[in-house]
Amino acid sequence: MARIVLSRLVQLGFTLLGVFIVLFVITRMSGDPVALLIGPSASTEQIAQLRSAMGFDRPLWAQFTGELLGAMRLDFGVSLRGGQDALTLALGHLAVSLQLVVGALVFAVALAVPVGVVAAVWPRSLLARLLMSVAFIGQAVPIFFSAPLLILLFAVAWHVLPTSGWGTWAHMILPVVALGMVLMAKVARVMRAQMLEVLSQDYIRTARSKGLDGWSIVTVHALRNAMVPTVTVIGADLGQLIGSAVLTESIFAVPGLGHMLLTAALARDYPLLQAGIFLTAVFVVSLNLVVDMLCAMLDPRIRAAGARG
Amino acid sequence: MLHRRDLVAAAAAVPLVAAPWAASRAQSPAVLRVALGSMVAAMEPNARTSGPPSTIVYYPIFDTLVATDAQGSPVPALATAWRNAAPDIWELDLRADVRFSNGERFDAASAKWTLDRVLNPENRQVVRARIATIKSVEVTGPLALRIVTTLPDPILPRRLASVFMLPPTYFQRVGEQEFANRPIGTGPFEVTAFQPSASVTLRAVEGSWRGRPQVPQIMLRSIPDASTRVAALRAGEVHIAESIPPDLARQLGQGGTRVVASTIGQTNLIILNTRNPALADRRVRQALNHAVDKEAIVQQLLSGYGEVTGQLVATNGVGHDPAIRPYAYDPALARQLLQAAGVRNLSVKIHTTQGLQLMDREVTEAVAGYLSAVGVTATIEVLETAAYVDAYHGGRMDPAFFIGWWYFPAMDGDFVFVWNESSRPQSRIRNPEFDRLYAASTSEMDSEKRAGLLRQMGRLLHEEAAGIFLYHPQQTFGVRAEVSGFTPRPDRVINFDTIAVSR
């Protein structure tokens, strides 16, 4: 296990350096924040003055090394739009995103695992077909359609939930459901496929011939083995979700990291962008680590390989 | 070691606790709730003002020396009177007995401190560009200020409408970052809670010089998605929703909601590069103007929320000339003019943006369509906002581009005419007569004569067809029936002082 952690930490270092370089090149290629910040009503001299006050007239290598050294000390500088410490600002948004994404995950798993199991145990039943159809719709309907629909139904027509915003449980429900539906459909399909595969294995037949009842075969023997690939899929998706929940965040006015990254990119707010991407990278790599550890806990073979390798 | 039971248990832990809900909808009407397209990330009003809707947030908290009224005229705010002592000297009398909401006194010294702070390039204050003509600020009495400009500046008072006055003692004590979280101003509201980029809650203060507001509390929040803003208004979560796109405005007007629209200090047009050989002939540029059905664009793409125009300043700004009519839509005349100019196979590329202005890309596409109808090959290129602004300031826009030029909050044509002056890299026209008029206007201290010069400039740009003149856009608000006393203003702020909410 220590070996896994160590290799992930090394990986994290390289990932962050790579992300930093790519982001620096892309942002500097795409124009300068000063003209955008000052707007179209400023003269050329005024733009030049602001540019020099902000240090964007320095040579690129000086800007690069300055920012890299800062980033290594976790000092990304001050947000150009916000004026506050960029990392603190990004952490606040990350906390919101985590609530949203973890909420969506819990919602998805809570529905998807039973659905996948039922669909695998009774593959030809009407219930299984119905559940999988619903799951399929969840995956097929894009968020930009489902989210406004949820708002119109639950907030405008029935007045049971708020349209948007963040802060209370009630505010969480619609965005969590909208985001969770897509994940739910995917997890249910993976779960179903894995369960079908596991249930056809020899050791399940052995368990059956041992006289174990169906329920304990499914929960004790099959589910655990089917969970390994499912956890991997969830882990990969979760990493994406933290940065890509931007549509959900925009529609429901959730002040999350995805929306922050989008506005920071449009505004060329380099410090905030660097801090936000840094947090996303740290999150994704740590998530991979957690997934590896979870899989090792679920599957002794992975543990053994880790110990040997 | 994790067991399957733990996993199943964790998976089953759905958040079913739909807790203290009931709060937001059946709110007491004492709180005025407003949905904006975005919320400021920091409350430092002169540093990062990027125009509305951030000014909507600042206006209830802060004051400027000079304000703009609903008709676009400069009116006293923290300055009660101003006069020219010499062409390059303005003297201002400041309002007596004004205090910031923390008790700090506002006087000439604090006004000078704010102006000096903005003027120092080291402080990176974006608003500096608007008052850069100021050479020095002197305190001549407890409530008297003398402002010396580098050159005679007839519109200095209007320029001052961009600068919000800050409390020097408090600001220096807490520092820039803390101030951005807990700002203090002289306005009738103070901040009680601020979530950067998300929401701000304001409470009415006692004894503001602007009087006691009708509502004791305001909650301003960001809802970036326009259809969600409309949904929040229809659901009764907010009383006012800013910036309703034309297609969504049709959903309002029933169920206790209405649309309030008014023309802002802005002109949308397609600038033509008169120095590009293909467009050098004035008749060609006039032909392009006659080819476009402005009225249809406004009616169909903007649902009527715009005023068709043939000049750079609407009726709400200095320099508007009622005698300048929009170019008539006349495709036959357009073809004639092109023929007379001996132009065949003209092709024009129009640069535009997506979402920087309301319906910018769609309007540009419609213009391109009308140009094609008279035999001009028009293509459009959509630029990302930062690339567009960069190309604009670098003077690299050729041969044509869509732009929204605005002149609020000063409400003076100078702010749009300036871009046509030859020495500006942004200018796409080289016209000695225009330059002469512009130079004369910048030092003409007689306001009537100066307005006459601005009108002359407007006529010249119209006759030269320096651009395809389109329309003055309108701002649109969704407003619930419970709201009274709401008057939209051409400088795009909301005057919360007069707004009341009934049950």
Side-chain angles (χ1 to χ4, degrees):
Chain A
M1 197 69 92
R3 197 175 277 274
I4 297 179
V5 175
L6 193 69
S7 77
R8 286 296 186 195
L9 282 179
V10 173
Q11 187 194 347
L12 176 65
F14 280 108
T15 307
L16 291 179
L17 183 66
V19 164
F20 183 87
I21 293 172
V22 169
L23 196 60
F24 185 87
V25 171
I26 291 177
T27 49
R28 300 309 143 124
M29 267 167 41
S30 67
D32 164 317
V34 177
L36 203 58
L37 203 60
I38 205 165
S41 62
S43 75
T44 318
E45 313 84 73
Q46 287 156 2
I47 294 173
Q49 256 168 351
L50 190 63
R51 182 170 287 139
S52 121
M54 297 185 125
F56 289 119
D57 58 342
R58 291 177 299 157
L60 276 182
W61 63 266
Q63 293 185 43
F64 179 81
T65 45
E67 282 182 26
L68 186 61
L69 289 175
M72 285 162 79
R73 295 193 309 269
L74 292 185
D75 174 12
F76 293 90
V78 168
S79 160
L80 303 184
R81 291 257 155 161
Q84 300 105 317
D85 178 61
L87 190 64
T88 316
L89 213 57
L91 272 171
H93 290 283
L94 176 69
V96 172
S97 281
L98 280 178
Q99 291 174 36
L100 173 64
V101 167
V102 170
L105 174 73
V106 171
F107 170 84
V109 170
L111 287 182
V113 170
V115 166
V117 169
V118 166
V121 174
W122 299 286
R124 287 187 176 71
S125 69
L126 189 66
L127 181 66
R129 282 162 200 229
L130 189 74
L131 287 175
M132 286 316 288
S133 313
V134 172
F136 184 71
I137 292 173
Q139 196 170 10
V141 177
I143 286 182
F144 62 77
F145 179 79
S146 61
L149 193 69
L150 288 171
I151 292 176
L152 281 180
L153 289 179
F154 288 91
V156 179
W158 300 332
H159 293 308
V160 289
L161 290 170
T163 57
S164 57
W166 199 248
T168 69
W169 282 99
H171 287 105
M172 282 182 74
I173 293 173
L174 290 185
V176 157
V177 169
L179 192 61
M181 289 237 285
V182 182
L183 190 60
M184 187 269 278
K186 200 166 181 179
V187 174
R189 287 154 64 87
V190 173
M191 195 69 218
R192 174 176 170 274
Q194 292 303 321
M195 279 298 281
L196 279 175
E197 170 143 5
V198 169
L199 285 174
S200 68
Q201 301 277 320
D202 290 347
Y203 67 89
I204 298 293
R205 206 175 49 220
T206 310
R208 267 193 234 282
S209 60
K210 230 163 49 171
L212 283 180
D213 65 298
W215 175 245
S216 66
I217 290 176
V218 168
T219 53
V220 177
H221 297 279
L223 185 58
R224 177 164 176 171
N225 284 298
M227 278 312 277
V228 176
T230 313
V231 165
T232 313
V233 166
I234 293 173
D237 271 20
L238 208 55
Q240 275 179 11
L241 272 187
I242 200 80
S244 67
V246 52
L247 200 58
T248 313
E249 290 175 0
S250 298
I251 294 175
F252 291 103
V254 177
L257 194 67
H259 187 69
M260 185 211 83
L261 284 173
L262 178 70
T263 45
L266 292 177
R268 300 291 185 278
D269 192 339
Y270 299 154
L272 194 57
L273 202 56
Q274 288 277 15
I277 298 281
F278 168 82
L279 285 183
T280 313
V282 169
F283 177 78
V284 170
V285 175
S286 336
L287 195 73
N288 285 343
L289 181 62
V290 171
V291 168
D292 284 354
M293 288 162 68
L294 266 181
C295 288
M297 286 173 183
L298 287 165
D299 189 340
R301 284 168 302 181
I302 299 177
R303 267 202 306 277
R308 271 198 311 273
Chain B
M1 189 64 224
L2 194 77
H3 286 281
R4 67 180 150 76
R5 274 182 300 278
D6 305 322
L7 263 186
V8 175
V14 194
L16 286 175
V17 211
W21 174 242
S24 177
R25 225 182 74 76
Q27 282 288 330
S28 83
V31 183
L32 175 71
R33 300 173 158 267
V34 182
L36 305 175
S38 68
M39 170 57 60
V40 295
M43 291 264 187
E44 227 279 54
N46 301 321
R48 298 175 183 84
T49 303
S50 48
S54 54
T55 39
I56 294 179
V57 178
Y58 296 140
Y59 186 75
I61 310 165
F62 299 99
D63 282 300
T64 51
L65 291 174
V66 178
T68 305
D69 70 4
Q71 284 72 46
S73 309
V75 289
L78 291 182
T80 50
W82 45 87
R83 64 201 153 266
N84 259 136
D88 57 349
I89 295 175
W90 282 91
E91 287 179 347
L92 285 79
D93 298 335
L94 304 187
R95 194 175 292 277
D97 301 323
V98 173
R99 283 180 186 276
F100 291 92
S101 60
N102 65 345
E104 190 174 332
R105 183 177 287 281
F106 167 82
D107 56 17
S110 60
K112 173 180 161 58
W113 181 85
T114 300
L115 290 173
D116 284 346
R117 186 181 142 70
V118 170
L119 286 167
N120 183 350
E122 290 297 303
N123 291 328
R124 309 171 177 187
Q125 306 282 294
V126 164
V127 163
R128 177 175 182 272
R130 291 240 158 188
I131 57 162
T133 53
I134 296 180
K135 187 157 89 184
S136 66
V137 182
E138 297 158 28
V139 175
T140 50
L143 296 171
L145 214 54
R146 172 184 297 180
I147 298 180
V148 182
T149 54
T150 47
L151 293 166
D153 186 356
I155 53 170
L156 183 79
R158 287 176 181 269
R159 293 182 189 278
L160 294 173
S162 294
V163 185
F164 293 98
M165 290 293 128
L166 309 180
T169 311
Y170 174 76
F171 191 102
Q172 284 163 320
R173 181 163 55 82
V174 298
E176 187 174 1
Q177 291 218 1
E178 175 66 8
F179 187 88
N181 281 321
R182 303 162 62 82
I184 296 284
T186 53
F189 288 92
E190 65 183 354
V191 175
T192 53
F194 173 48
Q195 283 184 292
S197 308
S199 67
V200 62
T201 310
L202 308 175
R203 179 178 59 199
V205 295
E206 293 290 334
S208 160
W209 70 272
R210 269 152 77 177
R212 184 152 185 80
Q214 306 282 311
V215 285
Q217 268 196 59
I218 307 175
M219 159 89 166
L220 300 156
R221 50 185 277 229
S222 155
I223 305 184
D225 187 83
S227 56
T228 312
R229 278 204 300 282
V230 169
L233 186 78
R234 290 173 63 198
E237 276 173 41
V238 297
H239 298 104
I240 299 173
E242 179 234 9
S243 193
I244 309 293
D247 54 326
L248 291 172
R250 294 188 202 107
Q251 291 184 18
L252 303 176
Q254 55 202 0
T257 60
R258 64 181 189 272
V259 177
V260 175
S262 81
T263 302
I264 58 173
Q266 180 173 322
T267 308
N268 290 5
L269 72 165
I270 310 259
I271 304 287
L272 300 173
N273 185 4
T274 61
R275 288 178 297 145
N276 185 309
L279 298 176
D281 191 322
R282 185 169 75 175
R283 289 170 297 184
V284 175
R285 305 192 299 266
Q286 288 172 338
L288 300 186
N289 270 283
H290 284 297
V292 178
D293 189 348
K294 279 79 64 178
E295 195 58 51
I297 288 177
V298 166
Q299 288 310 322
Q300 279 158 29
L301 288 177
L302 304 176
S303 299
Y305 295 116
E307 269 179 49
V308 172
T309 190
Q311 56 187 314
L312 290 186
V313 185
T315 49
N316 55 19
V318 178
H320 174 79
D321 187 346
I324 302 174
R325 306 303 309 157
Y327 277 93
Y329 171 53
D330 190 342
L333 179 58
R335 285 175 188 277
Q336 271 176 29
L337 284 164
L338 286 173
Q339 211 165 20
V343 170
R344 289 164 177 277
N345 305 328
L346 175 64
S347 65
V348 177
K349 181 157 80 176
I350 311 174
H351 299 269
T352 189
T353 44
Q354 165 98 50
L356 181 62
Q357 305 287 338
L358 198 62
M359 305 298 275
D360 40 11
R361 189 181 56 97
E362 292 82 351
V363 168
T364 315
E365 278 169 354
V367 169
Y370 281 115
L371 297 188
S372 306
V374 297
V376 175
T377 313
T379 51
I380 76 166
E381 183 178 335
V382 181
L383 295 175
E384 193 266 339
T385 302
Y388 169 90
V389 174
D390 216 37
Y392 171 70
H393 283 303
R396 293 188 301 277
M397 292 288 205
D398 185 55
F401 63 100
F402 178 91
I403 196 167
W405 264 338
W406 74 81
Y407 48 90
F408 60 80
M411 306 310 289
D412 188 282
D414 182 274
F415 290 84
V416 284
F417 288 125
V418 61
W419 303 118
N420 299 286
E421 203 257 328
S422 294
S423 68
R424 300 269 170 171
Q426 297 88 347
S427 170
R428 305 283 81 184
I429 184 169
R430 292 284 181 275
N431 188 303
E433 173 63 6
F434 182 89
D435 292 347
R436 191 190 64 75
L437 290 168
Y438 184 76
S441 79
T442 55
S443 55
E444 178 54 67
M445 304 309 283
D446 181 302
S447 57
E448 271 315 304
K449 282 187 191 154
R450 187 175 162 277
L453 288 168
L454 294 188
R455 284 195 292 272
Q456 271 181 275
M457 282 187 261
R459 270 198 295 279
L460 191 149
L461 293 178
H462 173 87
E463 283 156 14
E464 283 294 318
I468 304 174
F469 295 93
L470 297 173
Y471 55 91
H472 305 293
Q474 293 192 330
Q475 58 184 345
T476 45
F477 297 92
V479 181
R480 288 197 66 82
E482 304 92 276
V483 176
S484 60
F486 173 71
T487 316
R489 292 159 44 123
D491 56 354
R492 295 191 63 188
V493 303
I494 296 178
N495 185 359
F496 291 109
D497 303 7
T498 58
I499 296 178
V501 181
S502 64
R503 197 177 275 279

